[in-house]
Amino acid sequence: VILDEKAKISIPDPSIGLISETDIRVGAEYKKKTDDLKVKVIMGQEPIGSWDNYVKKLKEDTEYQKMIAEMNKAYQERTK
């Protein structure tokens, strides 16, 4: 019953099943850094500006951008 109710409001994750070789290689590192910074900002150990700086760095990070491009390509292939 709970699962049926949750299914009514759930939004599926479109990234499930998509593969990025870069994500396989370095994705866990990015996830850890992201999660660690989220916790620090929430706990008040880092100012919110640290998050903005982190996002700016990710936008300039060639490995991270490569990972995004690979995921976008995999998604486009799946939705053809």
Side-chain angles (χ1 to χ4, degrees):
V1 175
I2 293 174
L3 291 176
D4 294 334
E5 291 302 312
K6 187 175 180 185
K8 293 177 187 176
I9 59 170
S10 293
I11 299 172
D13 181 349
S15 69
I16 292 176
L18 300 180
I19 297 184
S20 159
E21 292 300 323
T22 305
D23 183 43
I24 291 169
R25 187 170 38 82
V26 295
E29 294 172 38
Y30 285 108
K31 180 169 178 17
K32 180 172 179 2
K33 288 178 187 177
T34 301
D35 291 346
D36 288 349
L37 184 56
K38 280 182 189 177
V39 170
K40 287 179 180 178
V41 169
I42 290 168
M43 298 301 292
Q45 296 170 345
E46 290 280 343
I48 191 69
S50 294
W51 181 259
D52 296 334
N53 291 336
Y54 179 68
V55 170
K56 183 179 177 184
K57 287 178 185 175
L58 289 178
K59 288 180 178 181
E60 297 168 354
D61 186 316
T62 55
E63 286 287 296
Y64 194 78
Q65 294 305 312
K66 184 177 179 184
M67 188 169 50
I68 290 172
E70 290 170 355
M71 293 296 277
N72 284 338
K73 182 178 178 186
Y75 180 75
Q76 293 300 322
E77 291 293 320
R78 180 169 61 188
T79 58
K80 280 185 179 180

